[in-house]
Amino acid sequence: SQKIEQNSEALNIQEGKTATLTCNYTNYSPAYLQWYRQDPGRGPVFLLLIRENEKEKRKERLKVTFDTTLKQSLFHITASQPADSATYLCALERDDKIIFGKGTRLHILP
Amino acid sequence: DAGITQSPRYKITETGRQVTLMCHQTWSHSYMFWYRQDLGHGLRLIYYSAAADITDKGEVPDGYVVSRSKTENFPLTLESATRSQTSVYFCASIPQGGGSNIQYFGAGTRLSVL
């Protein structure tokens, strides 16, 4: 079955630097890979989606890459701010089935 | 624009009691989902529904019952709550199947079973 691996340990990044989060998966390549943000006590909120035939997607300070050979997606936040502190989830979709990773907690240190 | 709302936000109950968690969406989305989120497990799908009167099991359906008599409502019932069902429950919806299915989540219900 498909498995998703995200860094289980929290990631601490200095304000202003680029934060890079990793999402690795096994088995089949998803048709779509999504990234969500989740704040404490709230539901996940969609950030970005990248398709299997796309290498990179950008939205403001966010960038997602998708490497189907490595079976990996990287999520970058440039010029990070304390307000970017949250848990970030990746999700894989294929054939209408969506599987979520466990998420990585990101702390941006002022 | 209320979106997707869950109630209650917090619930404490006792082992063996029946509990119903409510989910309501105002977008007329076809698909709705129930997840539970636990430390070390992430989000796990309990049940989903493709339309009114159509429901299907997810990864962890045991001990739960769902119904969908109206498109906008998707209640989740724990028929006889157990301590292992202590969790945070999220409802989500998507406009339709196929394509890029961005999920819209509710704020969650934190359930404690004593």
Side-chain angles (χ1 to χ4, degrees), chain A residues 40-96:
Chain A
R42 294 177 178 256
V45 175
F46 170 78
L47 295 174
L48 277 172
L49 175 148
I50 188 164
R51 293 174 170 78
E52 62 180 329
N53 61 351
E54 296 176 323
K55 296 290 187 189
E56 183 180 297
K57 204 78 168 284
R58 290 176 185 263
K59 179 183 175 183
E60 297 173 352
R61 294 185 295 111
L62 309 180
K63 184 177 83 170
V64 172
T65 62
F66 194 6
D67 189 326
T68 55
T69 302
L70 293 178
K71 296 187 177 180
Q72 182 181 80
S73 174
L74 298 178
F75 177 80
H76 305 272
I77 304 175
T78 58
S80 59
Q81 305 166 2
D84 295 325
S85 298
T87 295
Y88 291 85
L89 311 173
C90 74
L92 276 56
E93 184 211 335
R94 189 157 199 102
D95 301 330
D96 286 346

Side-chain angles (χ1 to χ4, degrees), chain B:
Chain B
D1 183 6
I4 184 164
T5 55
Q6 294 183 235
S7 61
R9 289 295 317 278
Y10 304 92
K11 178 72 177 178
I12 300 174
T13 191
E14 294 177 343
T15 303
R17 290 191 180 265
Q18 183 179 82
V19 177
T20 296
L21 310 183
M22 304 301 294
C23 179
H24 175 78
Q25 51 108 351
T26 59
W27 296 306
S28 298
H29 284 175
S30 295
Y31 280 71
M32 295 185 75
F33 304 83
W34 274 107
Y35 293 91
R36 59 179 291 173
Q37 188 174 40
D38 305 285
L39 276 175
H41 288 282
L43 281 165
R44 291 183 291 174
L45 183 64
I46 304 170
Y47 268 97
Y48 68 99
S49 168
D53 298 321
I54 300 175
T55 62
D56 211 343
K57 295 178 180 179
E59 180 186 357
V60 289
D62 293 342
Y64 303 95
V65 174
V66 293
S67 62
R68 192 149 177 228
S69 57
K70 292 184 178 181
T71 300
E72 60 267 29
N73 296 323
F74 190 37
L76 175 74
T77 298
L78 288 66
E79 294 190 300
S80 179
T82 65
R83 289 199 179 90
S84 65
Q85 292 177 310
T86 292
S87 186
V88 181
Y89 291 85
F90 288 100
C91 178
S93 70
I94 60 176
Q96 59 189 18
S100 52
N101 294 326
I102 299 168
Q103 299 216 341
Y104 298 86
F105 285 85
T109 295
R110 182 174 294 274
L111 176 68
S112 295
V113 183
L114 306 178

